[in-house]
Amino acid sequence: MLDIRALRQAGEEITAQLARRGFAFDLDAFRALDAQRKQADVQSQDLQARRKAASKEIGKLVQSGMDVDEAKAKVAAILDEIDAQLESEVARAEGINSQLHELLLGVPNAPQDDVPDGKSEDDNVEVRRWGTPRKFDFEPRDHVDVGESLTDGKIDFERASKLSGARFAVMSGTLARLHRALVDFMLDMHTTQHGYQEVYVPFLVGPEALRGTGQLPKFEQDLFKIEGERELYLIPTAEVPVTNLVAGEIIEADAMPLKFACHTPCFRSEAGSHGRDTRGMIRQHQFEKVEVVQMVRPENSHQALEDLTGHAEAVLQALGLPYRVVILCTGDIGFSSSKTYDIEVWLPTQNTFREISSCSNFLDYQARRMQARWRNPETGKPELLHTLNGSGLAVGRTLVAILENYQNADGSVTVPEALRPYMGGLETLGAR
RNA sequence: GGAGGGGUGGCUGAGUGGCCGAAAGCACCGGUCUUGAAAACCGGCGACGGGCGACCGUCCGUGGGUUCAAAUCCCACCCCCUCCGCCA
């Protein structure tokens, strides 16, 4: 949520920033509603103040010895007059306030100044590259062909579809183990080298948590909602439960920054992506991800985004997978984010880079929605903190990248050295 | 699932109808003292919203209700704890 005070003071600038990302903020409507709100607030608060004073007067009179009924009679006329308007005025003010709140919940974050203009992912700007794509002396096969033809464990989409329909995968044997090894490897790296604390969290969350990070109210169609008495959703990313750990809390300054690493499955309906990436494991309804999340002092969040992106890159470097980092343009950036770097891994059979991590700085946008604060020692006051998160990494897509980049002419796949300790020393998948 | 206890400020915890946005302690901030620190003493110190300000409003788990007046009484719900049962 944007700061309503900033919107009052600098409405034109913020409206212009929002326009860059294609969001038409109706400043006049906002101002009209805010003016109504002010008028209604003042009016209802004035009535409440007068009523309170009259009521206190009764208390005083009774205490100075007057009979209760007599005291009530003295102010009855005033109370009657106030009560005639009070209820409707308070209701009107509450109505306008919640209308204003809902309006603000639907407004995306404003992009930072250094986020490039653009309409779609085609306008994202490459920041840097790492690694050199391998030259194959045979025709490389895509991860589906490779994964399905492994001999001691494989990918099985047919059976997955029997169980759950399209966009699910079954994995077995050494391939399933590689998938699990990736999770361990990533978590170990973030916790031992990058200073994150591992957390385990619920995979089902209530609507408040989703509201806090920004998936609700606007993007309910992207979520899987559970049938039942309780209103629960499957998490689309660990960002939701992990970031909301600090919802409604005031974090002491010496505990900052908070840095969490978390492995969870992620569930996405993929509504609106029909026909995209239908082959293979690129886009699934269920996938594993190791997420890194930070809660930092506001002045540190820009540096924190650079650090966090580096932490995700370190995983790809350790695995020897070529990648590039792009900064998302205003047309491609996520709803709650003020600035996002995507990390894209090289996929030889697509002859291109594909997203494997998304690292974002939300500034105080999520913190305001969830009332996550820290105590600033300079002012002694609770202030909104800044939140960031990034994939470190998407496990399924990392597996895809390994299958494609590490495949051999005989159909086997070399296990990246960094993963061998997690595979009982196994060096190759599919070797007889 | 059964029985009981409880949700109050950053923390602990008092408060059973008006003088309560709320005692006290801790923590924190400022000061006195001290070479410095600690201790002691003095003062300050909840959050949110509105107003240039004096101030005003809201908030004692959530939502209703009773009352001129609710942290306090009533109802419903949520959550936590203890014991019993069941269970991966």
Side-chain angles (χ1 to χ4, degrees):
Chain A
M1 202 157 59
L2 294 174
D3 183 359
I4 191 166
R5 276 169 294 197
L7 231 27
R8 286 181 187 126
Q9 286 164 16
E12 279 81 5
E13 288 97 297
I14 296 172
T15 301
Q17 285 176 301
L18 290 170
R20 290 180 64 212
R21 49 138 67 229
F23 185 85
F25 182 66
D26 191 341
L27 187 59
D28 290 336
F30 163 76
R31 283 180 169 156
L33 192 59
D34 194 42
Q36 272 185 58
R37 188 224 91 243
K38 184 168 175 177
Q39 192 268 342
D41 269 354
V42 168
Q43 184 129 343
S44 74
Q45 285 178 17
D46 178 58
L47 284 168
Q48 285 178 91
R50 284 166 56 201
R51 192 172 200 295
K52 230 166 123 169
S55 186
K56 284 206 165 153
E57 186 61 23
I58 296 178
K60 275 188 196 145
L61 290 172
V62 169
Q63 248 138 54
S64 66
M66 188 181 281
D67 176 73
V68 177
D69 289 328
E70 199 179 328
K72 280 166 75 169
K74 276 196 95 117
V75 296
I78 304 168
L79 286 180
D80 285 349
E81 182 208 324
I82 294 170
D83 285 347
Q85 313 164 59
L86 183 68
E87 201 175 331
S88 69
E89 280 303 320
V90 169
R92 185 166 80 93
E94 280 176 0
I96 294 171
N97 273 303
S98 72
Q99 220 182 313
L100 200 54
H101 191 239
E102 288 303 313
L103 178 93
L104 289 177
L105 281 178
V107 178
N109 204 349
Q112 291 181 30
D113 290 339
D114 58 349
V115 172
D117 282 316
K119 283 191 164 31
S120 73
E121 58 185 315
D122 301 329
D123 302 316
N124 295 338
V125 175
E126 183 171 315
V127 176
R128 59 181 165 271
R129 272 181 201 220
W130 183 92
T132 310
R134 174 180 160 196
K135 296 264 187 285
F136 287 90
D137 50 16
F138 58 94
E139 187 62 30
R141 301 184 298 156
D142 80 356
H143 73 278
V144 178
D145 286 345
V146 174
E148 285 181 337
S149 58
L150 288 171
T151 55
D152 45 13
K154 59 175 189 167
I155 306 188
D156 188 339
F157 291 108
E158 297 291 318
R159 282 170 154 162
S161 118
K162 178 173 71 181
L163 302 174
S164 313
R167 294 200 191 278
F168 287 92
V170 167
M171 286 177 278
S172 57
T174 50
L175 188 68
R177 186 176 187 183
L178 182 68
H179 186 251
R180 174 164 57 89
L182 280 168
V183 171
D184 268 0
F185 170 69
M186 291 175 192
L187 277 175
D188 283 353
M189 176 179 279
H190 294 311
T191 55
T192 65
Q193 293 177 39
H194 301 149
Y196 292 86
Q197 183 183 37
E198 184 172 350
V199 280
Y200 172 83
V201 296
F203 305 155
L204 292 168
V205 295
E208 280 314 307
L210 289 155
R211 192 171 266 256
T213 33
Q215 284 79 12
L216 290 181
K218 272 196 118 170
F219 305 101
E220 181 160 24
Q221 75 279 1
D222 296 337
L223 302 167
F224 284 112
K225 190 175 185 179
I226 299 302
E227 285 282 337
E229 285 183 18
R230 289 218 268 163
E231 193 180 0
L232 288 171
Y233 297 81
L234 288 165
I235 56 170
T237 158
E239 165 191 356
V240 179
V242 176
T243 310
N244 277 284
L245 288 172
V246 296
E249 298 200 9
I250 299 171
I251 307 299
E252 292 303 329
D254 56 13
M256 301 271 279
L258 293 173
K259 296 170 71 177
F260 297 110
C262 185
H263 159 237
T264 69
C266 304
F267 302 93
R268 299 187 182 177
S269 78
E270 294 298 341
S273 59
H274 307 293
R276 289 191 71 191
D277 304 312
T278 48
R279 180 172 164 85
M281 287 190 48
I282 295 289
R283 193 174 301 275
Q284 303 267 286
H285 288 310
Q286 171 186 322
F287 62 94
E288 306 296 301
K289 183 155 59 65
V290 170
E291 186 81 355
V292 287
V293 177
Q294 295 195 23
M295 293 87 177
V296 305
R297 300 184 184 206
E299 69 265 29
N300 294 338
S301 71
H302 291 94
Q303 184 56 46
L305 178 63
E306 302 303 320
D307 295 344
L308 185 148
T309 306
H311 298 152
E313 289 176 64
V315 177
L316 287 167
Q317 291 177 12
L319 294 173
L321 293 167
Y323 66 86
R324 64 171 190 167
V325 178
V326 299
I327 180 167
L328 296 193
C329 72
T330 52
D332 199 29
I333 196 170
F335 182 79
S336 302
S337 177
S338 72
K339 180 177 179 177
T340 298
Y341 291 118
D342 270 10
I343 302 173
E344 300 178 336
V345 71
W346 177 253
L347 291 187
T349 65
Q350 296 190 10
N351 198 37
T352 188
F353 292 95
R354 289 302 304 261
E355 177 188 346
I356 198 166
S357 171
S358 195
C359 303
S360 301
N361 181 3
F362 303 92
L363 303 177
D364 60 11
Y365 184 90
Q366 291 181 327
R368 184 172 293 105
R369 290 169 86 105
M370 64 177 73
Q371 281 303 300
R373 293 170 293 172
W374 70 297
R375 193 171 293 280
N376 185 343
E378 283 175 23
T379 60
K381 296 285 179 193
E383 296 173 11
L384 294 172
L385 46 75
H386 282 194
T387 60
L388 305 97
N389 69 54
S391 347
L393 306 163
V395 179
R397 289 188 179 182
T398 308
L399 189 76
V400 166
I402 289 172
L403 292 180
E404 296 210 359
N405 285 282
Y406 280 88
Q407 63 180 297
N408 301 311
D410 65 358
S412 66
V413 174
T414 302
V415 176
E417 258 179 68
L419 292 176
R420 291 179 192 168
Y422 294 87
M423 295 288 289
L426 189 71
E427 293 180 11
T428 312
L429 301 187
R432 293 182 187 278

